[in-house]
Amino acid sequence: MTSFKYLISGEQRFVAVVLAGEADTRLWICLVPDNPTVGSGWVGCWSSGTGKTETAYSLGRLLKELNAEVARVGRMGPFGAYLDDHLFFDGWDAWGSGIPAPISNLDPVDVLARAEGCRSSDDLVSRLFGREKQTADSPE
């Protein structure tokens, strides 16, 4: 599994993590506060439909929407970080907070620690799709 992360700017500090690879053949985007605690879940998760292939354009568009929405509804309360509204994106399945069953073996703290850091959502898309192209071009 390949994972990338970037900090979403806004009043509260959230990190978007993109998981690509073996998890239920979906592309996952999960949100976590920048300082999660061991045993905590994701603040929110979204995944592409099963069997659906995302493009650099479609992922980039979703991440820009996510950035704007998280800046608008991301909050910190007495029990930690949360979203003050439900976020739905066309063509993506919304899983809410916690850890969705298809990625239940992926602890957010561990994933965040191993994810490759990116400067922005554009940088993330470039790295992910650049890496996929390199993998696809590799002779095997």
Side-chain angles (χ1 to χ4, degrees):
M1 166 129 343
T2 303
S3 57
F4 298 91
K5 65 184 176 187
Y6 71 95
L7 185 65
I8 295 178
S9 60
E11 184 179 325
Q12 304 300 328
R13 293 174 58 92
F14 288 90
V15 177
V17 179
V18 173
L19 306 164
E22 302 151 11
D24 189 33
T25 67
R26 295 171 179 253
L27 181 65
W28 290 86
I29 299 170
C30 295
L31 193 62
V32 67
D34 72 340
N35 58 349
T37 58
V38 173
S40 64
W42 301 105
V43 174
C45 281
W46 300 267
S47 68
S48 61
T50 304
K52 182 179 171 196
T53 303
E54 294 301 326
T55 64
Y57 175 78
S58 65
L59 177 60
R61 189 181 75 230
L62 173 76
L63 292 177
K64 286 187 185 342
E65 288 178 46
L66 180 66
N67 294 347
E69 290 298 310
V70 169
R72 183 179 67 82
V73 302
R75 303 283 184 268
M76 188 63 73
F79 300 108
Y82 68 99
L83 299 176
D84 196 24
D85 199 356
H86 298 286
L87 301 181
F88 299 98
F89 303 100
D90 287 341
W92 290 79
D93 296 327
W95 295 82
S97 60
I99 302 178
I103 57 172
S104 63
N105 61 327
L106 302 176
D107 182 87
V109 172
D110 294 337
V111 171
L112 189 62
R114 289 191 314 267
E116 184 177 329
C118 300
R119 293 182 311 274
S120 65
S121 59
D122 290 337
D123 183 35
L124 186 151
V125 170
S126 174
R127 289 182 192 206
L128 175 62
F129 282 89
R131 182 160 295 160
E132 285 182 358
K133 184 178 184 327
Q134 290 171 1
T135 303
D137 291 343
S138 300
E140 289 191 27

